[in-house]
Amino acid sequence: MTKGRIRAKIRRSHLYTFGCIRPPADQGDAPTQFNGPGFSRIVHCNQPKPQDKRNAVKYCTNYISTTKYNFFNFVPKALFEQFRRVANVYFLLTAALSLTDIAPFSAVSMIAPLAFVIGLSMAKEALEDSRRFIQDMKVNTRKANFHKGDGEFGQKPWMKLFVGDVVKVEKDKFFPADLLLLSSSYEDGICYVETMNLDGETNLKVKRALEVTLPLDDDSSFKKFTGRIKCEDPNPNLYTFMGNFEYDHEVYPLDPGQILLRDSKLRNTAYIYGVVIFTGHDSKVMQNATKSPSKRSRIERQMDRIIYILFSLLLLISLISSIGFGAKTGYEMPNFWYLRPYDDSKFYDPTRPALSGFYHLVTALILYGYLIPISLYVSIEVVKVLQAFFMNQDIHMFDEDTGTPAQARTSNLNEELGQVDTILSDKTGTLTCNQMDFLKCSIAGCPYGTRASEVEFAAAQQMATDLEDEDDSDINKNVIDEIELETIITSGEDHRRVIKGFSFEDSRLLNGNWMKEPKSEQLLLFFRILSVCHTAIPEVNEETGEVTYEAESPDESAFLVAAREFGFEFCRRTQSSVYVRERYPSYDNPVEREFKILGLLDFTSKRKRMSVMIRGEDGQIYLFCKGADSIIFDRLAKDGRELEGVTTKHLNEYGDAGLRTLALSFRKLEEEEFSSWNEEFLKAKTAIGNDREARLEKVSEMMEKDLILVGATAVEDKLQKGVPQCIDKLAQAGLKIWVLTGDKMETAINIGFSCSLLRQGMKQICISATNAEGSEQEQKEAIKEDIMQQITDSSKMITLEKDPHAAFALIIDGKTLVYALEDDMKYQFLSLAVGCASVICCRVSPRQKALVTRLVKEGTGKTTLAIGDGANDVGMIQEADIGVGISGVEGMQAVMASDFAIAQFRFLERLLVVHGHWCYKRVAQMICYFFYKNIAFGLTLFYFEALAGFSGETVYDDWYMLLFNVVLTSLPVISLGVFEQDVSSDVCLQFPALYQQGPNNLFFDWYRIFGWMGNGLYTSLIIFYVSIFIFHHQAFRTDGHTADMATMGTSMFTCIIWGVNLQIALTMSHFTWIQHFIIWGSVFSWYIFLILYGLLPPDRSLNGYKLLVGALAPSPKFWLATLLITILCNIPYMAHISFQRTFRPLDHHVIQEIKHYKKDIEDRRMWNRERSKARQETKIGLSARVDAKIRQLKGRLTKKYSLIGMSPQH
């Protein structure tokens, strides 16, 4: 590449009217006068060491951290996180009580499990946070070129930069800190900055250095450079800056035009020099970030409430046990002389039964602790880590282009993925890939371009599928014919060479064929406007001779590529001319033509247009103007509106196809007219005062009028692969989607159409702030009143709408959001937004993104997910219940702050609809089952204690109780949480409405929770009392002996093992050899344990010595009792599930039966009908667009049939 050699000769500021106004040095603005709080920062340029000596405040380093913990706070903060869980507090208290004499178990048996659980959870937190630390260090150790001294530059890591350092940043590199621009590779100090990472804007920003620092344009010039900056303190405002620069005994005012922000990128400029003003967490982008929050899922928070309930149950039965023991001690203990009650007056004192009862209360609280299972948290941690592992290994979420897999950066929120209600998405880099393709155009009233946009192609595929799914009818066949007639779908195969920025297909304009068209003169004008009306710079590859363009926006680059393919190649630029290599009048013999640039009125978001005045080789002066159609149409001459009607029709069609449009126009100028205008223009350009921009705009209006419309362009803002289909699937799953972008409103609306968040026929509600007169306070009140009125009127309009198919879209900009997010208005705004099908917030700052996310999260009380790819998205990613980062090419800030990272937006569909659905259901079911089995086990301890006179004795051996949760029932519940699938991943994607089971909390509502608790209560009653009935008064051994406590306890425990493991087998819908091995292996391991335990010496095995082999196994009663009790325990669940599947089946029950009987293969029509029924009714996405199109075509055909007096069925 030429690497700036051509560009360095051009004073770029001459190309800009509004963006780079610099008054003469002797007429500049006066230095800003400020004192007091908020303006205390003093920077000594090129003298980093004196910063600390000359200032009372020590500025922070350039080291940044997005981690949750550090070396010093890890232990206390991680412990705090663990003891936010209510159950852990209970176990801590019981562990402390186990150190006393009243504990029924040894202290080690209580403390060791707690330490293991807490330690494992803290280790997981440390592991996940270490990944964030590694990513932080990748940023902190990036190399920066800094001035070492004596005019020499060297490299050091970003984190070692200090305030006052002079740095050199080269093209396509990120700025390491907030910098004051001193000079650039252009002689007039202009540089181009891409701020997409900060505010989502795709257009390049033009920054300019102070004229006094322009001589500092090489390394050696900094040998003796010193200066002093006094400016505002660190703050999050990206678009404001106030300060003064003291240099060479003069003071110069500073404004945002000289400030380069951290994480923005240098583009189209070989290099710049700058001095560091704000470092690290003082930089504006980091000021917009928030501390890494501690997030807990809704299920985990609800689990705390269940723990409260179980603790209340535990307290109740402990009180009953305590009262019973006190009564026994006071009334019956004196009669039990053989127990020698008076020997231990502390615990068994008949004279003080209340005190004995109190001590027994503590014993009971520990004894019945199995109702609150400590192993639950360990199991959940293990399950979530394994779920995260399988997410990371999902080949369907692996991006082959970048080699990037999905990454679950925290496993705490896996189940939360299945309960999302609202998605808040960034636009640039998340939905789009910041690439524009020239696709269609309208010239002289004739549309050109036969290739369908991605939206049209996807919609046509969806429409064809939907119509095939419906019952056959003549009208449907006619609709399909109508679709084919309208050529909605074009061939997906493309044998042309791929040209970046150019996807146009139409032989009428290519290869010089345009010269054969009837209106070739207007076509010639159109192509010349494309090739001349811009501010781009060509770069020539010296090896291949190929020309590439460095433009301020992707749109402009796409226009130049299109012009080149049409035969008008912009090849070079000088200070005063543009040269175009035209294949005209002969396509085979290109001619290089010069167009002299007489003036240029550049594009701004306020003007929404740009114009260039050129003199052709024939001496004629032209004004070429391109801009938003509404702006251009307002400026057309009376005789220039000939094409307005037909062009408007084409523009609407392009907009419905999701394309970005611009109108092109021209005007011939007389020499005298231009000369007189130019004098006025130069006066306005060099004027001094606050009205300079207004004067320039007024003069520009004088020239940009009486235009003649030539045509319009339609470019496709290339969406990331699969975005329309992903949004459609998420909409069918019942999710609401908001787009929050820093781009201007027109761009955001175009993307809304591209993504099918907007469509033709949808009623757009645009809330905007209008200017008001009066004092500042009066203006604010008037603006707020106006916005509130707009919100009120819009809400009424939605309420009064009677059309069931009507859809509303809310569009609001950042300026209006400032007022809409205030406390007295935000809930009215939220109510309006919730009533709309889609919401687009444009021109929003990073902080506003976070505030909108917080409003949705707190105002609706439902789960929110934020997704973005840049530093400007960090705030909303951290504020949302779930943050998803796109690991794109624009840095890793979003990923570093996220909970989950994916490479493409389309993977969000699988992350939520498949993994989210599975994880929610798995975790919900395993928690319910965990409580069920522990209630079933724990209550048998209470029943036996009541039977044994509240003695504190347990019916089970200590080893049984220890192994119950750790070995015998732990692996089946983990397999449930890791491998369970109610339906396969393909079915999840085909039936997206299944996802609503999560947001509706179908599997973890109180009805289901109490149902499982009731099932546990029933199971405990059956196991205990049926066992007592069978074994208590009847002979067990062949010699006539009845069953002793060891035999009774082991038999009951065997029934529990069989009952709960059979229950989990019945709960599972998806079996592999792994589940079979784990469930039946757990049951089998119980018998293995009994055999091995019985082989130990009697002093070790105690009552368990040869218990199975010698007593239980030979007894038919033992095996029959086990079989009978196991069946009785599971009868209620089998009855419930049979009734439900027969009379009130859930969606997944229906699908399971269809799959089981292979109806999806044998009867495709029924399968497709069920699929269409399983879609949530939505007003956004491709499906909504298709439904609207089908209704339109059916209406058109019905009308056609009615006109000819014929029924559509005939």
Side-chain angles (χ1 to χ4, degrees):
M1 291 293 184
T2 59
K3 296 190 180 298
R5 287 196 292 274
I6 293 176
R7 296 192 307 260
K9 299 176 183 177
I10 303 173
R11 292 185 65 87
R12 296 305 304 273
S13 55
H14 290 182
L15 295 178
Y16 299 96
T17 302
F18 300 93
C20 297
I21 301 168
R22 181 189 287 117
D26 59 340
Q27 298 179 359
D29 294 336
T32 307
Q33 301 296 322
F34 45 66
N35 289 294
F39 297 95
S40 63
R41 197 173 189 88
I42 296 175
V43 178
H44 298 278
C45 305
N46 214 18
Q47 307 171 69
K49 292 182 180 178
Q51 302 294 337
D52 297 341
K53 297 177 183 177
R54 302 189 185 190
N55 295 282
V57 179
K58 183 177 180 180
Y59 300 140
C60 72
T61 66
N62 205 36
Y63 177 89
I64 60 111
S65 173
T66 61
T67 58
K68 200 169 164 184
Y69 308 102
N70 59 40
F71 178 79
F72 299 102
N73 71 11
F74 173 72
V75 172
K77 194 172 180 181
L79 283 174
F80 172 76
E81 289 295 322
Q82 295 307 312
F83 288 108
R84 286 172 68 186
R85 293 171 168 172
V86 178
N88 283 345
V89 176
Y90 163 75
F91 292 125
L92 179 65
L93 293 174
T94 56
L97 290 171
S98 69
L99 297 171
T100 65
D101 296 337
I102 56 178
F105 310 120
S106 66
V108 174
S109 66
M110 299 300 294
I111 295 173
L114 177 64
F116 175 74
V117 170
I118 298 296
L120 188 67
S121 299
M122 289 175 65
K124 184 179 78 74
E125 288 282 308
L127 176 64
E128 291 175 348
D129 212 46
S130 68
R131 294 173 184 154
R132 297 188 188 99
F133 174 77
I134 291 169
Q135 288 181 324
D136 285 345
M137 291 308 295
K138 286 181 181 178
V139 175
N140 287 323
T141 55
R142 287 176 181 169
K143 298 298 182 183
N145 286 322
F146 78 107
H147 183 230
K148 298 189 294 183
D150 296 326
E152 295 183 3
F153 278 71
Q155 289 193 334
K156 66 178 177 181
W158 277 21
M159 64 182 178
K160 292 188 177 180
L161 286 177
F162 296 100
V163 172
D165 274 346
V166 173
V167 297
K168 181 179 182 179
V169 180
E170 296 179 339
K171 181 184 172 185
D172 294 331
K173 299 291 185 184
F174 290 103
F175 299 120
D178 289 354
L179 310 176
L180 169 66
L181 175 63
L182 298 175
S183 62
S184 77
S185 56
Y186 296 114
E187 63 182 37
D188 51 357
I190 296 294
C191 79
Y192 293 93
V193 176
E194 181 183 83
T195 60
M196 187 173 68
N197 224 11
L198 302 180
D199 56 17
E201 280 276 14
T202 54
N203 292 345
L204 301 184
K205 309 295 189 300
V206 183
K207 301 288 184 176
R208 57 179 173 79
L210 293 172
E211 192 141 4
V212 69
T213 60
L214 295 185
L216 302 170
D217 58 355
D218 59 26
D219 293 359
S220 60
S221 61
F222 288 93
K223 187 173 183 178
K224 297 182 179 179
F225 166 69
T226 59
R228 184 171 178 265
I229 300 170
K230 185 174 182 182
C231 65
E232 63 186 24
D233 292 334
N235 63 74
N237 300 319
L238 294 174
Y239 308 110
T240 62
F241 182 83
M242 290 181 64
N244 288 333
F245 178 50
E246 299 176 16
Y247 178 64
D248 202 16
H249 308 293
E250 296 287 339
V251 181
Y252 305 91
L254 300 175
D255 60 48
Q258 288 102 35
I259 304 303
L260 307 173
L261 300 182
R262 180 186 175 119
D263 284 330
S264 50
K265 182 186 283 189
L266 183 66
R267 300 297 296 270
N268 296 11
T269 311
Y271 60 85
I272 63 98
Y273 291 100
V275 62
V276 177
I277 300 177
F278 297 120
T279 49
H281 289 275
D282 284 347
S283 61
K284 289 184 179 288
V285 67
M286 295 305 294
Q287 287 280 307
N288 274 280
T290 55
K291 291 183 179 179
S292 296
S294 298
K295 298 180 180 180
R296 301 179 72 206
S297 69
R298 290 173 181 269
I299 284 185
E300 189 172 339
R301 292 196 294 270
Q302 189 167 352
M303 204 162 71
D304 283 348
R305 293 191 282 272
I306 299 173
I307 296 294
Y308 288 132
I309 293 172
L310 289 178
F311 184 77
S312 301
L313 175 62
L314 170 63
L315 193 60
L316 175 63
I317 63 176
S318 297
L319 281 171
I320 294 172
S321 181
S322 174
I323 293 168
F325 182 77
K328 280 276 188 182
T329 302
Y331 295 106
E332 297 184 19
M333 190 68 74
N335 300 324
F336 299 159
W337 56 267
Y338 50 87
L339 295 178
R340 293 184 291 181
Y342 296 101
D343 286 1
D344 188 350
S345 59
K346 184 177 181 180
F347 300 129
Y348 308 102
D349 189 352
T351 61
R352 291 187 292 177
L355 181 62
S356 297
F358 172 76
Y359 283 129
H360 189 78
L361 174 65
V362 178
T363 302
L365 286 171
I366 299 174
L367 179 65
Y368 305 143
Y370 284 92
L371 288 173
I372 304 175
I374 191 170
S375 59
L376 170 61
Y377 286 112
V378 177
S379 299
I380 288 177
E381 296 288 1
V382 171
V383 162
K384 288 186 176 181
V385 168
L386 291 174
Q387 287 176 347
F389 172 78
F390 285 117
M391 283 186 209
N392 298 345
Q393 298 299 313
D394 190 341
I395 193 67
H396 298 290
M397 294 198 295
F398 178 79
D399 184 43
E400 294 182 358
D401 295 337
T402 61
T404 308
Q407 182 185 7
R409 288 168 47 81
T410 176
S411 58
N412 293 339
L413 303 172
N414 294 352
E415 68 274 22
E416 198 84 332
L417 290 171
Q419 293 188 281
V420 175
D421 178 77
T422 305
I423 296 173
L424 300 105
S425 174
D426 174 44
K427 181 191 76 70
T428 307
T430 302
L431 300 176
T432 65
C433 48
N434 199 28
Q435 177 190 332
M436 305 294 176
D437 274 12
F438 190 96
L439 195 66
K440 299 184 180 186
C441 59
S442 170
I443 310 173
C446 182
Y448 295 96
T450 59
R451 188 185 180 96
S453 69
E454 290 179 354
V455 172
E456 290 175 300
F457 192 78
Q461 287 181 317
Q462 180 74 42
M463 188 182 297
T465 302
D466 286 355
L467 288 172
E468 287 173 5
D469 293 346
E470 294 184 16
D471 294 333
D472 287 334
S473 67
D474 290 342
I475 195 165
N476 278 349
K477 291 175 183 176
N478 286 323
V479 169
I480 295 175
D481 293 339
E482 190 85 10
I483 294 170
E484 291 173 353
L485 287 172
E486 293 191 359
T487 64
I488 288 176
I489 191 165
T490 59
S491 173
E493 296 183 10
D494 184 8
H495 302 292
R496 294 187 306 112
R497 66 189 179 95
V498 177
I499 303 170
K500 186 178 180 180
F502 190 73
S503 298
F504 182 86
E505 286 183 2
D506 196 327
S507 59
R508 292 175 295 172
L509 297 188
L510 297 173
N511 301 318
N513 293 334
W514 65 268
M515 288 179 268
K516 303 172 186 176
E517 288 291 294
K519 297 183 179 179
S520 58
E521 288 186 5
Q522 288 175 292
L523 289 167
L524 175 63
L525 260 175
F526 182 90
F527 297 143
R528 281 183 172 166
I529 294 173
L530 287 184
S531 60
V532 174
C533 187
H534 57 81
T535 59
I537 296 294
E539 283 197 340
V540 182
N541 188 312
E542 294 173 349
E543 295 179 359
T544 64
E546 185 179 346
V547 178
T548 57
Y549 304 108
E550 291 198 341
E552 287 185 57
S553 67
D555 310 60
E556 202 165 77
S557 179
F559 292 148
L560 290 171
V561 171
R564 182 186 68 199
E565 295 302 313
F566 291 136
F568 294 77
E569 183 180 29
F570 166 52
C571 53
R572 61 191 176 98
R573 180 193 288 278
T574 65
Q575 192 67 56
S576 59
S577 298
V578 165
Y579 294 85
V580 179
R581 193 177 291 120
E582 295 187 352
R583 294 181 178 273
Y584 172 79
S586 170
Y587 187 80
D588 297 323
N589 299 305
V591 178
E592 187 173 290
R593 291 193 169 89
E594 177 187 8
F595 296 90
K596 291 190 178 295
I597 304 295
L598 304 180
L600 189 145
L601 305 174
D602 51 306
F603 183 95
T604 67
S605 57
K606 184 178 180 181
R607 284 169 40 78
K608 301 179 184 176
R609 66 190 184 279
M610 80 161 291
S611 299
V612 62
M613 284 141 280
I614 59 105
R615 188 190 301 275
E617 291 183 339
D618 58 356
Q620 176 65 52
I621 300 176
Y622 290 90
L623 178 137
F624 291 158
C625 183
K626 65 181 181 183
D629 53 281
S630 58
I631 301 296
I632 299 297
F633 288 172
D634 288 344
R635 288 163 174 75
L636 294 178
K638 288 183 180 179
D639 57 351
R641 297 181 177 273
E642 178 185 351
L643 306 173
E644 184 178 2
V646 66
T647 304
T648 300
K649 178 177 177 291
H650 295 156
L651 286 169
N652 289 335
E653 292 172 357
Y654 297 155
D656 195 32
L659 304 178
R660 296 173 64 161
T661 58
L662 283 179
L664 274 57
S665 60
F666 83 103
R667 177 188 174 196
K668 288 185 178 180
L669 301 176
E670 298 298 329
E671 193 75 40
E672 290 182 5
E673 180 185 7
F674 173 75
S675 297
S676 60
W677 175 86
N678 198 37
E679 288 180 11
E680 293 294 323
F681 179 69
L682 290 174
K683 288 179 184 178
K685 192 173 182 179
T686 56
I688 304 169
N690 296 329
D691 64 340
R692 184 193 304 145
E693 188 173 341
R695 292 180 62 178
L696 276 168
E697 185 59 44
K698 185 177 179 181
V699 176
S700 300
E701 291 277 358
M702 293 167 55
M703 179 58 69
E704 295 170 324
K705 63 179 183 180
D706 298 332
L707 303 174
I708 298 174
L709 184 63
V710 177
T713 60
V715 297
E716 185 172 29
D717 190 350
K718 296 293 286 185
L719 298 172
Q720 290 194 11
K721 183 180 177 181
V723 165
Q725 294 86 347
C726 176
I727 287 178
D728 185 52
K729 195 73 72 176
L730 294 173
Q732 290 179 31
L735 293 162
K736 305 175 184 68
I737 301 172
W738 293 30
V739 174
L740 312 179
T741 177
D743 261 342
K744 56 184 182 292
M745 185 174 289
E746 292 77 12
T747 305
I749 290 173
N750 284 326
I751 291 301
F753 278 102
S754 299
C755 299
S756 295
L757 293 173
L758 301 177
R759 55 183 167 81
Q760 292 297 328
M762 182 179 276
K763 299 175 182 178
Q764 296 181 17
I765 300 172
C766 293
I767 307 293
S768 58
T770 55
N771 296 324
E773 297 180 354
S775 65
E776 185 176 344
Q777 185 62 32
E778 289 173 345
Q779 288 180 13
K780 183 178 179 180
E781 292 298 325
I783 293 172
K784 284 183 66 175
E785 186 177 341
D786 178 59
I787 293 172
M788 179 60 83
Q789 188 62 46
Q790 292 181 59
I791 291 174
T792 303
D793 293 344
S794 301
S795 298
K796 287 180 180 177
M797 180 174 66
I798 293 174
T799 304
L800 296 174
E801 179 60 56
K802 295 181 180 179
D803 182 2
H805 301 299
F808 296 88
L810 176 62
I811 302 163
I812 188 169
D813 60 22
K815 182 181 176 183
T816 311
L817 270 176
V818 171
Y819 300 98
L821 292 176
E822 290 186 0
D823 290 341
D824 57 347
M825 198 187 300
K826 62 183 181 182
Y827 290 112
Q828 290 90 331
F829 163 67
L830 179 64
S831 176
L832 170 63
V834 168
C836 294
S838 61
V839 180
I840 297 176
C841 303
C842 48
R843 301 293 291 174
V844 291
S845 68
R847 186 167 288 275
Q848 285 179 319
K849 287 186 176 185
L851 290 173
V852 170
T853 304
R854 181 184 300 171
L855 175 63
V856 177
K857 179 176 70 173
E858 296 177 353
T860 63
K862 296 179 180 177
T863 304
T864 57
L865 180 147
I867 180 169
D869 75 317
N872 60 316
D873 305 314
V874 168
M876 73 170 182
I877 284 173
Q878 292 181 330
E879 186 63 52
D881 293 298
I882 306 170
V884 178
I886 301 289
S887 50
V889 295
E890 297 300 330
M892 296 290 287
Q893 290 83 357
V895 170
M896 288 158 60
S898 68
D899 304 303
F900 298 88
I902 52 178
Q904 296 274 329
F905 182 87
R906 61 191 166 97
F907 297 139
L908 187 64
E909 172 188 348
R910 189 171 182 87
L911 184 68
L912 296 182
V913 177
V914 177
H915 290 286
H917 173 72
W918 281 349
C919 289
Y920 161 74
K921 193 167 182 181
R922 289 166 175 171
V923 172
Q925 285 187 318
M926 73 170 283
I927 292 173
C928 287
Y929 171 78
F930 227 108
F931 288 127
Y932 150 79
K933 74 181 181 68
N934 278 72
I935 287 173
F937 174 61
L939 286 180
T940 58
L941 293 170
F942 172 68
Y943 303 150
F944 181 79
E945 202 200 10
L947 187 68
F950 301 104
S951 61
E953 184 64 57
T954 61
V955 70
Y956 307 121
D957 188 286
D958 286 352
W959 277 103
Y960 300 177
M961 299 171 70
L962 183 65
L963 293 175
F964 177 73
N965 280 320
V966 176
V967 176
L968 300 175
T969 61
S970 61
L971 291 180
V973 77
I974 289 174
S975 72
L976 174 70
V978 176
F979 299 112
E980 170 64 357
Q981 296 178 14
D982 55 345
V983 292
S984 67
S985 60
D986 291 340
V987 173
C988 283
L989 296 173
Q990 290 174 331
F991 292 81
L994 284 174
Y995 183 82
Q996 279 300 302
Q997 293 179 341
N1000 293 334
N1001 204 17
L1002 194 63
F1003 292 96
F1004 207 63
D1005 57 359
W1006 288 111
Y1007 171 79
R1008 193 167 293 263
I1009 291 166
F1010 285 124
W1012 277 100
M1013 287 182 175
N1015 192 19
L1017 173 63
Y1018 165 81
T1019 301
S1020 68
L1021 290 169
I1022 290 294
I1023 289 173
F1024 184 80
Y1025 287 105
V1026 173
S1027 295
I1028 292 293
F1029 176 78
I1030 291 174
F1031 292 109
H1032 193 32
H1033 297 297
Q1034 300 181 40
F1036 180 75
R1037 299 175 186 266
T1038 54
D1039 57 6
H1041 285 101
T1042 57
D1044 59 10
M1045 191 172 74
T1047 303
M1048 174 77 74
T1050 305
S1051 299
M1052 286 171 54
F1053 198 83
T1054 302
C1055 294
I1056 291 174
I1057 297 300
W1058 271 101
V1060 299
N1061 279 296
L1062 181 59
Q1063 174 67 75
I1064 201 169
L1066 292 171
T1067 303
M1068 289 181 178
S1069 303
H1070 175 70
F1071 271 97
T1072 65
W1073 68 267
I1074 298 174
Q1075 286 97 316
H1076 281 294
F1077 176 79
I1078 287 174
I1079 293 173
W1080 311 124
S1082 296
V1083 175
F1084 185 68
S1085 65
W1086 163 240
Y1087 293 105
I1088 297 295
F1089 166 76
L1090 280 180
I1091 294 171
L1092 295 177
Y1093 188 51
L1095 294 176
L1096 292 176
D1099 60 332
R1100 295 287 184 88
S1101 59
L1102 302 176
N1103 293 328
Y1105 181 68
K1106 294 188 178 181
L1107 183 62
L1108 177 65
V1109 177
L1112 297 176
S1115 171
K1117 187 181 290 186
F1118 168 73
W1119 300 106
L1120 290 173
T1122 302
L1123 177 63
L1124 174 64
I1125 292 172
T1126 301
I1127 292 173
L1128 288 175
C1129 285
N1130 287 281
I1131 282 177
Y1133 180 81
M1134 295 173 69
H1136 162 73
I1137 200 67
S1138 300
F1139 175 83
Q1140 187 178 50
R1141 282 180 175 272
T1142 305
F1143 299 105
R1144 299 179 61 185
L1146 300 176
D1147 291 339
H1148 67 279
H1149 291 153
V1150 176
I1151 296 168
Q1152 286 170 353
E1153 292 196 19
I1154 292 175
K1155 296 290 284 186
H1156 178 74
Y1157 291 109
K1158 297 183 179 180
K1159 291 293 184 181
D1160 56 316
I1161 299 172
E1162 298 172 0
D1163 190 347
R1164 294 295 299 177
R1165 183 167 298 282
M1166 182 186 75
W1167 178 252
N1168 289 330
R1169 185 171 63 248
E1170 290 297 325
R1171 281 181 58 189
S1172 62
K1173 283 165 58 179
R1175 288 189 336 208
Q1176 285 284 307
E1177 185 177 349
T1178 177
K1179 295 179 180 178
I1180 61 171
L1182 290 172
S1183 297
R1185 185 189 289 263
V1186 166
D1187 291 342
K1189 186 72 175 178
I1190 291 174
R1191 285 196 301 272
Q1192 177 188 349
L1193 293 176
K1194 284 184 176 180
R1196 190 189 303 171
L1197 288 173
T1198 302
K1199 185 177 180 181
K1200 185 191 298 183
Y1201 283 121
S1202 65
L1203 287 174
I1204 61 175
M1206 182 179 179
S1207 170
Q1209 277 76 28
H1210 290 79

